[in-house]
Amino acid sequence: MLVLGIETSCDETATAVVEVEGAAYDVRSSVVSSQIDLHARYGGVVPEIASRAHVERLVPAVAEALVEAGVEGPELDAVAATVGPGLVGSLLVGTSAAKGLAIVWDKPFVGVNHLEGHLFAPFLEEPDITVPLVVLLVSGGHTMLVHMVDRGRYEVLGATLDDAAGEAFDKVARFLGLGYPGGPAIDRLATQGRPDAIAFPRSMLNDGLDFSFSGLKTAVVNHVRKNPDVSTADVAASFQEAAVDVLVAKARRAADDLGVGALSLAGGVAANSRLRERWLDACEEDGRQGYLPSHIMCTDNAAMIAAAGAWRLEHDGPTPLDVGANPNLALGPTARR
Ligand code: KG4
Ligand code: ZN
């Protein structure tokens, strides 16, 4: 099955053609047009600017994905697009385009939950991945521990009560004057600092599987205000260590509680080098299989949307064309609407 994926939920205009054969995926093309340059000066994503940029970039990105894959539109078997969660204007650009293309080429349209897309990302690179699996999904908008009972069957074990992990990285980076997006900037600077320089709080470390990052962010702000000469690299490294400590500890505990032998990371924060290192160490220590999608598969892309779309099409059939974008779409037990 050849699926065109379209992802426009936030600030990346992404398209991809994925060939699906059973549980195996061949990413024939994957185009990501980042809007970072447009939003950087505002210190975060400006929804109206994002929507307009998607309008300008999506058609060329679809053409590029088809050319790179060596595929003509009518040869596709389905058109899949993210229908939520995300910025509503941005989602509408992708879903409207996908429906239009599906009508023109007379192919099924499949609406995909962005979070389910992230959960499929590890499968695109690891064909032998085993389920059940515990996935730590950490992005700019979400922080979730998910028990992936099987492909398409999920149990949300824990989530953030306030800021998402990526949001905490972005806000701390902004406070430290490191620019946007903050995650990669903190990651880079942290390599020059000491992770044990400042004992920032590990919120809710031993308390259930939910997360809270706003206290950590406030602790960073208070510490820097009280110690204006503190090394910014030490602050970055110590903040990152506190966040990673909690993320790794809870994922480990979830896998212990459930007796699950495999752990995977997903979402933009999964690109964090310290989290990746600590993740693999923890898995090795516990004798678990630890999966790490590549950086490009961690951050938003359309190959993961095409993969999740193919699965949805096979199991639920096409999505009716009157299903619209849903900015608050949740990850239910089956990610169905
Ligand atoms: O999954 P994603 O591309 O978009 C959303 O669905 O949100 O995640 C973006 C988030 C941003 O908050 C960004 O700062 C964070 O992922 N991020 C990182 C790193 N690379 C991206 N956070 C920490 N370390 C990184 N290396
Ligand atoms: Zn995402």
Side-chain angles (χ1 to χ4, degrees), residues 152-306:
R153 281 184 57 211
Y154 315 110
E155 188 190 351
V156 178
L157 304 167
T160 183
L161 303 179
D162 39 58
D163 291 349
E167 195 179 351
F169 272 87
D170 292 337
K171 285 179 176 170
V172 166
R174 188 174 180 176
F175 172 72
L176 296 174
L178 302 178
Y180 170 85
I186 289 195
D187 196 346
R188 273 192 303 275
L189 186 61
T191 58
Q192 294 157 40
R194 286 185 301 128
D196 57 354
I198 307 151
F200 286 130
R202 272 70 172 156
S203 306
M204 298 176 66
L205 183 64
N206 299 310
D207 183 10
L209 294 175
D210 285 330
F211 300 86
S212 167
F213 290 105
S214 76
L216 172 58
K217 177 192 64 193
T218 307
V220 171
V221 171
N222 290 342
H223 185 89
V224 174
R225 288 207 171 127
K226 269 192 217 142
N227 304 277
D229 296 330
V230 68
S231 143
T232 309
D234 281 350
V235 174
S238 301
F239 157 76
Q240 178 175 273
E241 198 67 10
V244 168
D245 263 354
V246 178
L247 293 170
V248 173
K250 297 216 176 204
R252 231 170 162 170
R253 184 157 359 110
D256 278 347
D257 290 351
L258 293 163
V260 166
L263 275 176
S264 183
L265 276 174
V269 182
N272 183 267
S273 51
R274 184 68 179 144
L275 175 59
R276 296 171 80 85
E277 188 183 320
R278 294 275 312 278
W279 190 258
L280 290 181
D281 287 350
C283 288
E284 199 182 312
E285 223 170 273
D286 298 347
R288 286 203 178 88
Q289 276 183 297
Y291 297 109
L292 287 178
S294 65
H295 284 223
I296 190 82
M297 238 0 128
C298 289
T299 48
D300 288 350
N301 65 85
M304 67 186 196
I305 301 303

Side-chain angles (χ1 to χ4, degrees), residues 114 118 139 300 304:
H114 180 80
H118 275 300
S139 71
D300 288 350
M304 67 186 196

